[in-house]
Amino acid sequence: MPIPVFIQLRALLVLTVLSVPFAAQASLLPDFPLSTLEEERPISAASHRVMLSAIREVGDEVRAERSVRLEVDGTGRLYLLNPDAARQDARAWYLEQLQARNATILFQCEGRECGRSNVWANQVFDQASLYGRDADQEYLVAALEDEAGQRWLVTLYTVTRGNRRDHLWLEELKLSDDAEIPGGEASRGRIAGPVIVPWEGDFTVRFDWGVETRRRIDSMAEVKGSQVVIAAFASLGDNETVEESIARAERAATTMSDLLDRSGISRSRHLIRGIGPLVDVASPGRPGNRIEILVIAPPAGGATDE
């Protein structure tokens, strides 16, 4: 029986961390384990253009409704994915890495809604290897802060080429202190998260989360007087009513509340919402059946003891 991709990823990630000397790990994000690094390129510019919307080509000019030019210093890395890995696996894996760093997704698109792949490949990234099928591409850009308070932009582009091989382009761009990015605050003031936890089941609910996810929730919830929002989403089954889907989501949210209460995050701080299928924003990083956990700090001067 073939070994599932997610098990391969976890095993390879452990081997990667153990085999790479600490001094060599200069990248902001680790390499996707099921990939081969084909090229690394320095990116240092006083006016580097980052796309914050879909693109189109008018004449020889690339147009976008939203873009920003920034002083940056960083790298771009081109990866070829292994034959037994798909670009969706890589995208979901990097979304998890960004989520763990409390990144803010500024823009993302999939397929033809992103624009023409040849424009992304040749005009935006100057990487002919990224030219693939318009229906088989994804792009996202995220903002975050590292532990030292340095602000970064991360752009990720994945594509399937005509030969059915998947490529990935990752840019890690360090920003200048005075850089202004629309909607790019790595921290959204009083709101931390969301932490996304996939779930499955019906009357018995099982969560797909690990030690790092639990540690992040605990860290966010350390804010005195904060409120923990547990929002549960559910896909609508073929033979299921909306009410039944919402009821499943509510059971998942209540189960999560019980787990957090037992772990030391008091139920008295929880705000539970069973959303079910009413908000349809499923994506590789947001499966239909999921819990989204937000921690909201109290208003200034409003912290209270539990």
Side-chain angles (χ1 to χ4, degrees), residues 249-271:
E250 289 175 342
R251 287 193 291 273
T254 299
T255 303
M256 175 60 72
S257 177
D258 292 340
L259 290 174
L260 294 181
D261 183 68
R262 290 200 295 270
S263 72
I265 303 175
S266 173
R267 185 180 283 105
S268 64
R269 300 168 57 192
H270 300 178
L271 177 62

Side-chain angles (χ1 to χ4, degrees), residues 283-295:
S283 67
R286 278 185 159 91
N289 292 343
R290 68 188 186 279
I291 299 286
E292 296 198 11
I293 298 175
L294 294 165
V295 176

